[in-house]
Amino acid sequence: MNSVQLEILKIDKQWYHEVKKNPSIPLFICLGEKHEVDLFDTYFKFQGSEEASTHDIFLVHYQEFQSMETYGSFLAEEWREAYAAWGEQDHAVPVWEEECIPEEKQKSDAYRAVNSLKNLYKIFPELDQKKIFVHLAPLNLRPELAESFGIWIQEWCKLADKNIKLVLTEHHTYRSYKNLPQNRKEFRVEIDLHKLMQNAAEQTNRDKGSTETNFQQQILLASNYLSKGKNKEALTALEKGARIAKQQKLNEAEATARLMMAQVQHVLGNTNEAHVQYKKIIQLAGESFLGIQMNMNYGGFLISISEKSKAVACFEKALEIAEKQNNSFVQIECYRMIGQLKESKLNSESVPYYEKCLEIGRMLPDETLKESSIPYTATLLLKKYGENRQARQLEQEMKTLLGDDWKRLAKTPEIINN
């Protein structure tokens, strides 16, 4: 049994434990991180397949919720179509009766879905020992419809009997469903994603014991520790990974491990150790594209500890390599960063760097230009120009290149946000 199957088995045991403990509850809500509820969703879909060994009926529906007056009809119609297809193979199946309309007036058509399933129990008495679990996961539930969806769920729960259970999934922190009934059971699914990835890698790797495999295992182990806040243990794994890569002269792999080490040392407040790792990384990377990336990473680190003049030197080195490689996109980013680091209210030292960005940007294809930081740089330059002819010309040029709403493209680059 592989690690994913093991997690599915754990979910199966947890699910039936919750159902057994709460026999009268009509609504179950699985809470978790996205990857956790996604795996729960996978469990439900598998239980509805022919390979599953369950005796119960599992149904999963992703129909978009558009109205509480029509949602139940869509569900009932889908079930009847599947039943009809089955009937074509076995003509002895009984007729599935229409839904009964409740005497009490309903706000929604939830009764159509619930009563359809109740009628299924009537025509197949042997189903009485089985449960029907209906997992609803409407795609793109619009905020303005959340309240209506809640009303639909409430009416379902009032009508459902002990064998028919409704299931929803939600992020454990960011809740989106509203007006849910009090008569519900919420439970948390927890899965150690990094540990799962690590185990899966160990089980599926055909070349066990190889240098590359051993390195990958150390990186996965470090990621697992980092996810749990165990920074010192992560450092130990990363040091081992860097050592494995160094022995085999895998420069890019060693640089990756050392970059993670530098970031962890920064988190721990060990600035000097972080400096040591960044300098080793830059030496390893040389004048490759990796060298550009690592010089820019080091520059970002130096900005974070207010060493602007040293950061300028890093971006200048990255720019030098980018020019040798004719990498226009990176050149723009480096010129912009140097300009911003030289920014001052008392002088215009940054202006030539911003203008150089625009000079290079004019040669880029339209789509690449929109994805670059040129729109953002142009807004910086407009502030430096003030209200003059240059500013008006720049404004008109940006409209020509990027459209009238070009300023909407001017997003603050990530390195500045950080």
Side-chain angles (χ1 to χ4, degrees):
M1 182 179 291
N2 65 39
S3 52
V4 176
Q5 289 171 327
L6 183 60
E7 291 298 336
I8 292 287
L9 181 60
K10 289 179 183 175
I11 289 175
D12 182 70
K13 289 182 177 179
Q14 183 180 359
W15 168 245
Y16 274 107
H17 175 70
E18 295 293 348
V19 172
K20 188 176 180 179
K21 269 186 17 179
N22 303 279
S24 62
I25 295 291
L27 173 63
F28 291 81
I29 304 178
C30 172
L31 303 174
E33 297 286 344
K34 185 179 186 304
H35 68 273
E36 292 164 338
V37 295
D38 282 350
L39 194 58
F40 181 82
D41 183 73
T42 300
Y43 160 72
F44 246 75
K45 283 189 284 190
F46 174 74
Q47 294 301 91
S49 70
E50 293 181 359
E51 292 80 12
S53 58
T54 181
H55 295 294
D56 294 317
I57 299 172
F58 286 72
L59 303 172
V60 183
H61 295 282
Y62 299 103
Q63 285 94 338
E64 184 177 351
F65 181 85
Q66 296 180 332
S67 163
M68 64 179 176
E69 290 86 14
T70 59
Y71 191 58
S73 301
F74 285 134
L75 294 177
E77 185 179 347
E78 184 162 313
W79 297 333
R80 290 182 186 282
E81 286 178 2
Y83 187 81
W86 178 46
E88 289 175 4
Q89 300 173 22
D90 184 353
H91 298 288
V93 298
V95 176
W96 193 348
E97 298 174 8
E98 290 296 319
E99 311 85 10
C100 300
I101 300 175
E103 293 182 7
E104 183 182 344
K105 185 173 176 59
Q106 304 291 308
K107 295 180 181 177
S108 76
D109 74 341
Y111 71 88
R112 296 207 64 183
V114 178
N115 289 340
S116 288
L117 296 179
K118 285 183 177 179
N119 285 338
L120 198 61
Y121 279 97
K122 290 180 182 178
I123 58 179
F124 292 105
E126 59 270 27
L127 286 179
D128 193 51
Q129 300 304 312
K130 300 181 181 183
K131 290 182 170 53
I132 298 179
F133 301 122
V134 182
H135 175 21
L136 299 182
L139 297 173
N140 304 318
L141 180 64
R142 300 199 304 274
E144 63 270 22
L145 293 176
E147 193 169 327
S148 296
F149 185 67
I151 293 171
W152 193 96
I153 298 294
Q154 284 184 30
E155 295 198 343
W156 167 293
C157 291
K158 286 178 183 177
L159 295 167
D161 61 23
K162 62 182 178 63
N163 283 333
I164 301 173
K165 308 293 184 184
L166 196 60
V167 186
L168 303 175
T169 57
E170 277 239 84
H171 192 281
H172 66 104
T173 304
Y174 309 107
R175 310 294 288 271
S176 56
Y177 297 132
K178 298 178 181 178
N179 290 336
L180 295 179
Q182 293 295 320
N183 189 22
R184 66 180 188 266
K185 172 60 181 177
E186 298 182 353
F187 62 97
R188 177 80 157 86
V189 169
E190 295 187 79
I191 298 164
D192 189 332
L193 181 61
H194 292 284
K195 187 69 174 176
L196 177 61
M197 290 169 61
Q198 186 181 339
N199 291 340
E202 288 176 356
Q203 291 164 354
T204 59
N205 201 302
R206 296 178 181 177
D207 194 13
K208 296 182 188 297
S210 72
T211 300
E212 187 176 348
T213 300
N214 291 339
F215 172 76
Q216 290 172 348
Q217 289 302 319
Q218 294 306 314
I219 296 298
L220 284 168
L221 182 60
S223 299
N224 189 24
Y225 281 133
L226 290 172
S227 71
K228 297 173 182 176
K230 297 181 178 180
N231 294 321
K232 292 182 180 178
E233 290 87 343
L235 277 176
T236 301
L238 290 169
E239 285 168 359
K240 187 174 179 180
R243 191 162 59 249
I244 292 169
K246 185 179 181 67
Q247 288 169 353
Q248 298 298 316
K249 297 182 180 178
L250 302 172
N251 288 358
E252 189 167 338
E254 185 182 349
T256 299
R258 293 195 180 281
L259 176 61
M260 291 176 72
M261 289 167 67
Q263 292 167 340
V264 176
Q265 294 287 14
H266 188 195
V267 169
L268 292 172
N270 301 330
T271 304
N272 290 336
E273 284 298 321
H275 277 296
V276 169
Q277 294 303 327
Y278 275 115
K279 287 173 182 176
K280 286 182 179 179
I281 293 166
I282 288 169
Q283 186 177 1
L284 280 166
E287 295 202 343
S288 62
F289 182 70
L290 182 65
I292 295 174
Q293 293 174 306
M294 295 307 169
N295 272 287
M296 294 181 79
N297 272 317
Y298 191 24
F301 164 72
L302 290 166
I303 291 171
S304 72
I305 58 173
S306 302
E307 294 190 12
K308 285 190 176 183
S309 59
K310 291 181 180 178
V312 168
C314 283
F315 286 104
E316 286 175 341
K317 181 60 181 177
L319 175 59
E320 180 188 324
I321 302 171
E323 286 174 339
K324 289 178 182 177
Q325 296 183 6
N326 294 317
N327 190 322
S328 300
F329 200 91
V330 173
Q331 288 178 54
I332 290 171
E333 296 308 299
C334 290
Y335 274 117
R336 175 186 58 76
M337 282 305 308
I338 296 169
Q340 288 192 261
L341 290 168
K342 290 178 176 288
E343 184 74 66
S344 170
K345 292 181 180 180
L346 301 177
N347 61 56
S348 299
E349 196 176 348
S350 60
V351 170
Y353 294 96
Y354 298 153
E355 289 177 336
K356 187 66 178 177
C357 289
L358 265 62
E359 180 185 324
I360 299 169
R362 292 184 184 105
M363 297 183 285
L364 294 177
D366 289 348
E367 285 307 309
T368 307
L369 183 63
K370 289 179 180 179
E371 292 171 6
S372 74
S373 61
I374 287 294
Y376 176 74
T377 306
T379 61
L380 299 177
L381 201 50
L382 283 175
K383 291 177 184 176
K384 300 301 288 186
Y385 284 159
E387 297 291 333
N388 60 19
R389 183 173 56 82
Q390 281 180 300
R392 290 191 293 274
Q393 287 178 339
L394 176 58
E395 178 86 36
Q396 186 55 50
E397 181 182 11
M398 288 297 103
K399 287 181 179 179
T400 302
L401 290 172
L402 301 169
D404 290 342
D405 60 346
W406 69 272
K407 288 183 181 178
R408 289 200 303 115
L409 300 171
K411 297 176 182 177
T412 306
E414 187 178 348
I415 197 167
I416 297 299
N417 280 328
N418 290 343

